[in-house]
Amino acid sequence: MCLAIPAKVLTVNGQEALITVQGVQRTANLMLLEETVAPGDYVLLHAGFAIRKWTAAEAQEQELLLAEVGYTHRD
Amino acid sequence: MSAKLQEIQNLLAQIGRPVQLMEVCGTHTMAIFRTGLRSLMPPSLRLLSGPGCPVCVTHDSFLEHALAIATQPNTLVATFGDMLRVPGRSGSLEAARAKGANVQVVYSPLDALAMARQHPDLRVVFLGIGFETTAPTTAGALVAAARDGVKNFSVLSAHKTMPNALSALLTSGEVKIDGFLMPGHVSVITGTSIYEPVARIFKRPAVVTGFEAGEILAGVEMTLRMIAEGRAEVGNAYAHTVTAEGNVKARALLAEVFEPCDDAWRGLGVIPGSGLKIRAAFAAHDAARHFPAPKVDVPETSRGCRCGDVLRGAITPPQCPLFRNVCTPWSPQGACMVSGEGTCAAYFRFS
Ligand code: SF4
């Protein structure tokens, strides 16, 4: 539940971004994010909020790790 | 990996006594099993699971309160999925839903807020559980609700913070803990500075690490090295940047909406200053002020479940008489078997 997952930013609209996470499109709230993001950037997503900007390399690595610990995006 | 294991052996030999490390986060417990590390550790090193599974530490009295709200007319209780099947004294939220209560699973507090906007006739109550990473997201939803005047949205907060719980564990002295492994991504929000008291006051190393086998081993190695050298510091064995102050924006939002309060933890009892209650400025959205708590003194050890002892690291799940024969993920008798991050669920899957 407290796991944060990497997501790719598709579009940014003010305080919200359209993202894809494990192939599923969702919106992410950007209110907690300290950095600015643009389409193509990665963020760490937790409970609907982007909590940190993430590099593509970090995101890819994290995805592999999540697969390794058997995590699927439930909550 | 074998070089790291060898180094761990060497450090243990240098320390010359058995060492017990606690992995605080439930996701770490899962990762340590999954990667097979638990069975690779030398016998003089024990890894204990700590109170870091949010659903697991949520007290029965909170669940009773949530159930009481769910059974009121015109209410909708929105919760993270893990909470649904936790057996309380008067049943689970899932059972209440089967009897007609409006209980919905959400991924984000914002989903609950959206439900409130959609159904102005319903009082939508979000069950706020989780630690320092999750509490800012609830704070975000509350700020949005207050800004937009979504009057029918409120939060029942059981949010908690970890440092005082770790202090309580160490103060009680029930379980010997020589050092802590802290979860990487949580520390992205909190920063490493929240672990300073553990290091400074209690003289225990606290090392932030990730979930991959190599990272976990690096974390164990760093912790053991500190113990061997008599140092108690906060270390970072996480591959990513974790700053001392964490995500300042998220922490500021948390402080704007919540204030510390004494809070009851399953297994640990009431710990001073370990809970987060909603500040008076957001009273209109505080479910605890709108829905009185049911007056039941909930005995913790009903049903023979030993979750409390598991959460303190006092026993491992196989020592619970119900483990595996009565209590399984399909018929969970306690929160630690329900949650995917629960220690009992991890032992069930991997041992
Ligand atoms: S095995 Fe089941 S009954 Fe025993 S402590 Fe764990 S959750 Fe409780």
Side-chain angles (χ1 to χ4, degrees):
Chain A
M1 197 202 98
C2 29
L3 210 53
I5 47 176
K8 188 175 183 177
V9 177
L10 299 175
T11 56
V12 178
N13 182 7
Q15 284 273 63
E16 280 194 350
L18 186 66
I19 51 151
T20 62
V21 52
Q22 295 175 345
V24 182
Q25 289 196 5
R26 292 180 56 94
T27 53
N29 189 293
L30 304 179
M31 183 184 210
L32 301 179
L33 200 64
E34 296 187 300
E35 305 91 349
T36 52
V37 286
D41 285 341
Y42 285 84
V43 291
L44 205 53
L45 185 74
H46 176 66
F49 288 79
I51 59 171
R52 207 194 127 184
K53 194 167 164 178
W54 216 232
T55 66
E58 283 175 321
Q60 200 179 21
E61 188 187 333
Q62 180 113 359
E63 294 243 0
L64 293 175
L65 299 183
L66 292 176
E68 199 177 300
V69 297
Y71 182 81
T72 51
H73 183 211
R74 292 174 303 129
D75 52 16
Chain B
M1 189 145 127
S2 59
K4 279 209 188 84
L5 275 174
Q6 187 55 51
E7 190 50 31
I8 285 172
Q9 299 257 20
N10 295 346
L11 287 165
L12 282 166
Q14 200 181 327
I15 295 167
R17 59 175 170 83
V19 172
Q20 302 209 110
L21 302 184
M22 178 173 271
E23 84 266 0
V24 172
C25 168
T27 310
H28 261 152
T29 303
M30 259 322 179
I32 289 169
F33 269 115
R34 184 101 192 174
T35 50
L37 287 182
R38 197 170 291 268
S39 49
L40 290 180
M41 290 300 165
S44 58
L45 175 66
R46 264 189 84 197
L47 295 176
L48 304 170
S49 309
C53 155
V55 172
C56 305
V57 295
T58 299
H59 198 260
D60 275 355
S61 56
F62 177 82
L63 186 55
E64 292 305 317
H65 201 166
L67 284 164
I69 294 172
T71 45
Q72 301 253 328
N74 306 320
T75 57
L76 185 163
V77 166
T79 176
F80 292 131
D82 270 7
M83 211 45 206
L84 213 56
R85 298 178 64 212
V86 176
R89 187 168 116 151
S90 39
S92 64
L93 286 163
E94 190 178 50
R97 183 168 70 178
K99 287 194 213 123
N102 195 351
V103 179
Q104 304 286 338
V105 169
V106 291
Y107 296 108
S108 164
L110 292 175
D111 298 342
L113 180 59
M115 287 174 185
R117 291 185 207 267
Q118 236 169 47
H119 305 283
D121 50 320
L122 294 178
R123 294 180 291 173
V124 175
V125 179
F126 174 70
L127 304 183
I129 59 161
F131 301 110
E132 287 93 337
T133 337
T134 315
T137 68
T138 301
L142 281 170
V143 165
R147 183 195 60 207
D148 301 345
V150 188
K151 292 201 177 67
N152 60 326
F153 175 79
S154 63
V155 170
L156 189 66
S157 173
H159 283 300
K160 292 177 171 48
T161 49
M162 193 51 84
N164 288 6
L166 298 183
S167 302
L169 268 180
L170 291 168
T171 306
S172 88
E174 178 190 20
V175 179
K176 187 168 103 42
I177 304 164
D178 298 298
F180 292 96
L181 298 177
M182 303 298 188
H185 55 257
V186 172
S187 310
V188 165
I189 290 264
T190 62
T192 53
S193 61
I194 68 156
Y195 308 129
E196 287 292 343
V198 166
R200 228 183 25 250
I201 302 168
F202 293 96
K203 307 273 180 277
R204 302 295 201 290
V207 171
V208 176
T209 182
F211 299 98
E212 185 246 337
E215 285 182 321
I216 295 169
L217 282 178
V220 169
E221 187 190 330
M222 187 182 278
T223 315
L224 291 177
R225 191 174 306 282
M226 287 187 196
I227 296 171
E229 294 171 2
R231 289 180 292 131
E233 292 163 15
V234 175
N236 182 13
Y238 189 44
H240 312 286
T241 332
V242 184
T243 56
E245 64 277 9
N247 181 328
V248 176
K249 210 168 165 183
R251 294 179 71 184
L253 196 70
L254 188 152
E256 180 190 337
V257 173
F258 293 106
E259 60 187 328
C261 65
D262 300 349
D263 201 7
W265 296 53
R266 184 190 303 281
L268 300 174
V270 174
I271 304 173
S274 69
L276 292 172
K277 77 168 192 210
I278 296 168
R279 286 187 189 276
F282 294 88
H285 303 284
D286 183 357
R289 300 179 201 235
H290 299 310
F291 300 91
K295 290 211 186 337
V296 276
D297 232 348
V298 185
E300 259 215 89
T301 48
S302 51
R303 306 180 310 274
C305 166
R306 308 239 349 235
C307 264
D309 297 323
V310 170
L311 290 165
R312 290 195 308 277
I315 67 166
T316 57
Q319 289 169 269
C320 167
L322 304 186
F323 180 74
R324 212 182 278 281
N325 46 54
V326 180
C327 182
T328 66
W330 304 279
S331 161
Q333 302 300 306
C336 305
M337 189 61 90
V338 174
S339 171
E341 289 151 350
T343 309
C344 297
Y347 270 80
F348 187 93
R349 265 179 78 183
F350 296 112
S351 70

Short mmCIF file of all heavy atoms in Angstrom, two decimals, chain B residues 9-53:
data_model
loop_
_atom_site.label_atom_id
_atom_site.label_comp_id
_atom_site.label_asym_id
_atom_site.label_seq_id
_atom_site.Cartn_x
_atom_site.Cartn_y
_atom_site.Cartn_z
N GLN B 9 29.19 -12.19 6.75
CA GLN B 9 29.74 -13.22 7.65
C GLN B 9 30.91 -12.65 8.47
O GLN B 9 30.97 -12.83 9.69
CB GLN B 9 30.29 -14.41 6.84
CG GLN B 9 29.28 -15.11 6.00
CD GLN B 9 28.86 -16.44 6.62
OE1 GLN B 9 29.04 -16.63 7.81
NE2 GLN B 9 28.29 -17.32 5.83
N ASN B 10 31.83 -11.98 7.76
CA ASN B 10 33.00 -11.41 8.43
C ASN B 10 32.61 -10.42 9.52
O ASN B 10 33.15 -10.44 10.62
CB ASN B 10 33.91 -10.69 7.42
CG ASN B 10 34.50 -11.66 6.41
OD1 ASN B 10 34.44 -12.88 6.61
ND2 ASN B 10 35.04 -11.13 5.32
N LEU B 11 31.66 -9.55 9.17
CA LEU B 11 31.24 -8.53 10.13
C LEU B 11 30.59 -9.17 11.35
O LEU B 11 30.82 -8.76 12.48
CB LEU B 11 30.28 -7.54 9.46
CG LEU B 11 30.94 -6.57 8.47
CD1 LEU B 11 29.90 -5.88 7.60
CD2 LEU B 11 31.78 -5.53 9.21
N LEU B 12 29.78 -10.22 11.11
CA LEU B 12 29.14 -10.91 12.22
C LEU B 12 30.19 -11.55 13.13
O LEU B 12 30.08 -11.50 14.36
CB LEU B 12 28.16 -11.97 11.70
CG LEU B 12 26.82 -11.41 11.21
CD1 LEU B 12 26.07 -12.46 10.41
CD2 LEU B 12 25.96 -10.92 12.38
N ALA B 13 31.22 -12.11 12.51
CA ALA B 13 32.30 -12.72 13.29
C ALA B 13 33.00 -11.66 14.13
O ALA B 13 33.31 -11.88 15.30
CB ALA B 13 33.29 -13.41 12.36
N GLN B 14 33.18 -10.50 13.51
CA GLN B 14 33.82 -9.39 14.22
C GLN B 14 32.97 -8.91 15.40
O GLN B 14 33.49 -8.60 16.47
CB GLN B 14 34.02 -8.26 13.21
CG GLN B 14 35.06 -7.23 13.56
CD GLN B 14 35.11 -6.17 12.46
OE1 GLN B 14 34.90 -6.46 11.28
NE2 GLN B 14 35.38 -4.93 12.85
N ILE B 15 31.63 -8.86 15.19
CA ILE B 15 30.73 -8.43 16.26
C ILE B 15 30.70 -9.48 17.38
O ILE B 15 30.63 -9.14 18.56
CB ILE B 15 29.31 -8.16 15.69
CG1 ILE B 15 29.35 -6.98 14.71
CG2 ILE B 15 28.31 -7.85 16.81
CD1 ILE B 15 28.10 -6.83 13.86
N GLY B 16 30.74 -10.73 16.99
CA GLY B 16 30.92 -11.80 17.97
C GLY B 16 29.72 -12.14 18.84
O GLY B 16 29.87 -12.75 19.89
N ARG B 17 28.55 -11.72 18.43
CA ARG B 17 27.32 -12.10 19.14
C ARG B 17 26.18 -12.08 18.13
O ARG B 17 26.30 -11.47 17.07
CB ARG B 17 27.03 -11.15 20.30
CG ARG B 17 26.87 -9.71 19.85
CD ARG B 17 26.47 -8.76 20.98
NE ARG B 17 26.56 -7.38 20.52
CZ ARG B 17 25.61 -6.74 19.83
NH1 ARG B 17 24.49 -7.35 19.53
NH2 ARG B 17 25.78 -5.49 19.45
N PRO B 18 25.07 -12.76 18.47
CA PRO B 18 23.94 -12.74 17.52
C PRO B 18 23.39 -11.33 17.34
O PRO B 18 23.39 -10.55 18.29
CB PRO B 18 22.89 -13.63 18.19
CG PRO B 18 23.60 -14.38 19.26
CD PRO B 18 24.78 -13.55 19.66
N VAL B 19 22.98 -11.02 16.13
CA VAL B 19 22.46 -9.69 15.82
C VAL B 19 21.03 -9.80 15.30
O VAL B 19 20.72 -10.69 14.52
CB VAL B 19 23.35 -8.99 14.76
CG1 VAL B 19 22.72 -7.69 14.28
CG2 VAL B 19 24.74 -8.74 15.32
N GLN B 20 20.17 -8.92 15.77
CA GLN B 20 18.80 -8.88 15.26
C GLN B 20 18.53 -7.52 14.61
O GLN B 20 18.66 -6.48 15.25
CB GLN B 20 17.79 -9.08 16.41
CG GLN B 20 17.99 -10.37 17.16
CD GLN B 20 16.69 -10.90 17.76
OE1 GLN B 20 16.18 -11.91 17.29
NE2 GLN B 20 16.17 -10.25 18.77
N LEU B 21 18.17 -7.55 13.33
CA LEU B 21 17.82 -6.31 12.62
C LEU B 21 16.34 -6.34 12.32
O LEU B 21 15.78 -7.39 12.01
CB LEU B 21 18.61 -6.20 11.31
CG LEU B 21 20.14 -6.22 11.39
CD1 LEU B 21 20.71 -5.99 9.99
CD2 LEU B 21 20.65 -5.17 12.35
N MET B 22 15.71 -5.18 12.39
CA MET B 22 14.28 -5.12 12.08
C MET B 22 14.08 -4.42 10.75
O MET B 22 14.57 -3.30 10.56
CB MET B 22 13.53 -4.38 13.18
CG MET B 22 12.03 -4.23 12.91
SD MET B 22 11.12 -3.54 14.31
CE MET B 22 10.69 -5.05 15.19
N GLU B 23 13.38 -5.08 9.82
CA GLU B 23 12.97 -4.37 8.61
C GLU B 23 11.60 -3.81 8.92
O GLU B 23 10.67 -4.53 9.28
CB GLU B 23 13.01 -5.28 7.37
CG GLU B 23 11.83 -6.15 7.08
CD GLU B 23 12.00 -7.56 7.67
OE1 GLU B 23 13.03 -7.84 8.29
OE2 GLU B 23 11.07 -8.37 7.50
N VAL B 24 11.51 -2.49 8.86
CA VAL B 24 10.33 -1.81 9.38
C VAL B 24 9.14 -1.92 8.42
O VAL B 24 7.99 -1.97 8.84
CB VAL B 24 10.66 -0.33 9.67
CG1 VAL B 24 9.43 0.47 10.03
CG2 VAL B 24 11.68 -0.25 10.79
N CYS B 25 9.46 -2.02 7.12
CA CYS B 25 8.41 -1.89 6.11
C CYS B 25 7.92 -3.25 5.64
O CYS B 25 8.72 -4.16 5.37
CB CYS B 25 9.02 -1.11 4.94
SG CYS B 25 8.04 -1.11 3.46
N GLY B 26 6.62 -3.39 5.49
CA GLY B 26 6.03 -4.66 5.05
C GLY B 26 6.48 -5.07 3.66
O GLY B 26 6.62 -6.26 3.36
N THR B 27 6.72 -4.09 2.81
CA THR B 27 7.18 -4.41 1.46
C THR B 27 8.60 -5.01 1.50
O THR B 27 8.95 -5.85 0.69
CB THR B 27 7.15 -3.15 0.58
OG1 THR B 27 5.86 -2.55 0.73
CG2 THR B 27 7.34 -3.48 -0.88
N HIS B 28 9.39 -4.57 2.47
CA HIS B 28 10.70 -5.18 2.67
C HIS B 28 10.57 -6.64 3.09
O HIS B 28 11.30 -7.50 2.60
CB HIS B 28 11.49 -4.42 3.76
CG HIS B 28 12.49 -3.46 3.20
ND1 HIS B 28 12.88 -2.33 3.86
CD2 HIS B 28 13.17 -3.47 2.04
CE1 HIS B 28 13.77 -1.69 3.12
NE2 HIS B 28 13.95 -2.35 2.02
N THR B 29 9.65 -6.90 4.00
CA THR B 29 9.42 -8.28 4.45
C THR B 29 9.17 -9.17 3.25
O THR B 29 9.77 -10.23 3.09
CB THR B 29 8.23 -8.33 5.41
OG1 THR B 29 8.48 -7.45 6.51
CG2 THR B 29 8.00 -9.73 5.94
N MET B 30 8.25 -8.71 2.37
CA MET B 30 7.93 -9.44 1.16
C MET B 30 9.16 -9.63 0.29
O MET B 30 9.45 -10.74 -0.19
CB MET B 30 6.90 -8.66 0.33
CG MET B 30 5.48 -9.09 0.42
SD MET B 30 5.20 -10.84 0.50
CE MET B 30 3.44 -10.90 0.63
N ALA B 31 9.91 -8.55 0.08
CA ALA B 31 11.07 -8.59 -0.82
C ALA B 31 12.15 -9.53 -0.28
O ALA B 31 12.81 -10.24 -1.04
CB ALA B 31 11.63 -7.19 -1.02
N ILE B 32 12.33 -9.53 1.03
CA ILE B 32 13.37 -10.37 1.64
C ILE B 32 13.04 -11.86 1.45
O ILE B 32 13.91 -12.67 1.16
CB ILE B 32 13.57 -10.00 3.13
CG1 ILE B 32 14.25 -8.63 3.22
CG2 ILE B 32 14.41 -11.05 3.85
CD1 ILE B 32 14.26 -8.02 4.60
N PHE B 33 11.76 -12.18 1.55
CA PHE B 33 11.34 -13.56 1.26
C PHE B 33 11.51 -13.89 -0.21
O PHE B 33 12.08 -14.89 -0.59
CB PHE B 33 9.87 -13.76 1.64
CG PHE B 33 9.68 -14.22 3.04
CD1 PHE B 33 9.03 -13.42 3.97
CD2 PHE B 33 10.12 -15.48 3.44
CE1 PHE B 33 8.84 -13.86 5.26
CE2 PHE B 33 9.92 -15.92 4.73
CZ PHE B 33 9.29 -15.11 5.65
N ARG B 34 10.94 -13.01 -1.00
CA ARG B 34 10.86 -13.24 -2.43
C ARG B 34 12.23 -13.46 -3.06
O ARG B 34 12.41 -14.28 -3.94
CB ARG B 34 10.19 -12.00 -3.06
CG ARG B 34 9.94 -12.11 -4.51
CD ARG B 34 8.50 -12.44 -4.76
NE ARG B 34 8.30 -12.83 -6.14
CZ ARG B 34 7.16 -13.29 -6.60
NH1 ARG B 34 6.13 -13.42 -5.81
NH2 ARG B 34 7.05 -13.62 -7.86
N THR B 35 13.19 -12.71 -2.59
CA THR B 35 14.54 -12.82 -3.15
C THR B 35 15.31 -13.97 -2.51
O THR B 35 16.47 -14.19 -2.84
CB THR B 35 15.32 -11.51 -2.93
OG1 THR B 35 15.20 -11.15 -1.54
CG2 THR B 35 14.77 -10.37 -3.76
N GLY B 36 14.69 -14.67 -1.57
CA GLY B 36 15.33 -15.82 -0.95
C GLY B 36 16.40 -15.46 0.07
O GLY B 36 17.13 -16.31 0.56
N LEU B 37 16.47 -14.16 0.43
CA LEU B 37 17.56 -13.72 1.31
C LEU B 37 17.43 -14.26 2.72
O LEU B 37 18.42 -14.50 3.40
CB LEU B 37 17.62 -12.19 1.36
CG LEU B 37 18.16 -11.49 0.12
CD1 LEU B 37 18.21 -10.00 0.35
CD2 LEU B 37 19.56 -12.01 -0.20
N ARG B 38 16.18 -14.45 3.17
CA ARG B 38 16.00 -14.87 4.56
C ARG B 38 16.73 -16.19 4.82
O ARG B 38 17.35 -16.39 5.84
CB ARG B 38 14.51 -14.98 4.91
CG ARG B 38 14.23 -15.01 6.40
CD ARG B 38 12.75 -14.87 6.69
NE ARG B 38 12.24 -13.55 6.36
CZ ARG B 38 12.18 -12.54 7.22
NH1 ARG B 38 12.58 -12.69 8.45
NH2 ARG B 38 11.70 -11.38 6.86
N SER B 39 16.66 -17.08 3.81
CA SER B 39 17.27 -18.39 4.02
C SER B 39 18.79 -18.35 3.82
O SER B 39 19.49 -19.26 4.23
CB SER B 39 16.64 -19.41 3.06
OG SER B 39 16.63 -18.88 1.76
N LEU B 40 19.29 -17.29 3.21
CA LEU B 40 20.74 -17.18 2.97
C LEU B 40 21.48 -16.56 4.15
O LEU B 40 22.70 -16.64 4.23
CB LEU B 40 21.01 -16.33 1.73
CG LEU B 40 20.64 -16.91 0.37
CD1 LEU B 40 20.97 -15.92 -0.73
CD2 LEU B 40 21.37 -18.23 0.14
N MET B 41 20.73 -15.93 5.05
CA MET B 41 21.39 -15.22 6.14
C MET B 41 22.04 -16.20 7.11
O MET B 41 21.46 -17.23 7.43
CB MET B 41 20.38 -14.34 6.88
CG MET B 41 19.89 -13.15 6.07
SD MET B 41 21.26 -12.07 5.63
CE MET B 41 20.49 -11.07 4.36
N PRO B 42 23.23 -15.87 7.61
CA PRO B 42 23.88 -16.73 8.60
C PRO B 42 23.00 -16.84 9.86
O PRO B 42 22.25 -15.91 10.16
CB PRO B 42 25.18 -16.00 8.93
CG PRO B 42 25.33 -14.94 7.90
CD PRO B 42 24.01 -14.67 7.30
N PRO B 43 23.11 -17.95 10.59
CA PRO B 43 22.24 -18.15 11.76
C PRO B 43 22.38 -17.08 12.83
O PRO B 43 21.43 -16.84 13.59
CB PRO B 43 22.65 -19.52 12.30
CG PRO B 43 23.76 -20.01 11.46
CD PRO B 43 23.96 -19.10 10.31
N SER B 44 23.54 -16.44 12.90
CA SER B 44 23.69 -15.43 13.95
C SER B 44 23.05 -14.10 13.59
O SER B 44 23.09 -13.15 14.36
CB SER B 44 25.17 -15.23 14.29
OG SER B 44 25.86 -14.83 13.13
N LEU B 45 22.44 -14.02 12.40
CA LEU B 45 21.73 -12.79 12.01
C LEU B 45 20.25 -13.11 11.85
O LEU B 45 19.86 -13.95 11.06
CB LEU B 45 22.28 -12.25 10.69
CG LEU B 45 21.54 -11.03 10.13
CD1 LEU B 45 21.71 -9.82 11.04
CD2 LEU B 45 22.01 -10.70 8.73
N ARG B 46 19.43 -12.42 12.64
CA ARG B 46 17.98 -12.60 12.50
C ARG B 46 17.37 -11.33 11.96
O ARG B 46 17.68 -10.23 12.40
CB ARG B 46 17.34 -12.92 13.85
CG ARG B 46 17.16 -14.42 14.08
CD ARG B 46 16.33 -14.66 15.32
NE ARG B 46 14.90 -14.58 15.03
CZ ARG B 46 13.98 -14.43 15.97
NH1 ARG B 46 14.30 -14.31 17.23
NH2 ARG B 46 12.71 -14.41 15.64
N LEU B 47 16.47 -11.50 10.99
CA LEU B 47 15.73 -10.36 10.47
C LEU B 47 14.31 -10.41 11.03
O LEU B 47 13.60 -11.40 10.84
CB LEU B 47 15.69 -10.40 8.94
CG LEU B 47 17.05 -10.24 8.23
CD1 LEU B 47 16.88 -10.42 6.73
CD2 LEU B 47 17.65 -8.87 8.53
N LEU B 48 13.94 -9.37 11.74
CA LEU B 48 12.60 -9.30 12.33
C LEU B 48 11.73 -8.37 11.49
O LEU B 48 12.21 -7.38 10.97
CB LEU B 48 12.67 -8.71 13.74
CG LEU B 48 13.57 -9.39 14.76
CD1 LEU B 48 13.67 -8.52 15.99
CD2 LEU B 48 12.99 -10.76 15.10
N SER B 49 10.46 -8.68 11.39
CA SER B 49 9.55 -7.78 10.69
C SER B 49 8.97 -6.79 11.68
O SER B 49 8.63 -7.16 12.80
CB SER B 49 8.42 -8.57 10.05
OG SER B 49 8.95 -9.63 9.29
N GLY B 50 8.85 -5.57 11.26
CA GLY B 50 8.40 -4.52 12.18
C GLY B 50 6.97 -4.08 11.95
O GLY B 50 6.22 -4.74 11.22
N PRO B 51 6.59 -2.95 12.54
CA PRO B 51 5.20 -2.48 12.49
C PRO B 51 4.91 -1.60 11.29
O PRO B 51 4.18 -0.64 11.38
CB PRO B 51 5.09 -1.68 13.80
CG PRO B 51 6.46 -1.13 14.00
CD PRO B 51 7.43 -2.12 13.41
N GLY B 52 5.47 -1.94 10.11
CA GLY B 52 5.38 -1.04 8.97
C GLY B 52 4.30 -1.38 7.96
O GLY B 52 4.35 -0.92 6.82
N CYS B 53 3.34 -2.21 8.33
CA CYS B 53 2.23 -2.49 7.42
C CYS B 53 1.03 -1.69 7.93
O CYS B 53 0.51 -1.95 8.99
CB CYS B 53 1.95 -4.00 7.42
SG CYS B 53 0.28 -4.47 6.98
#
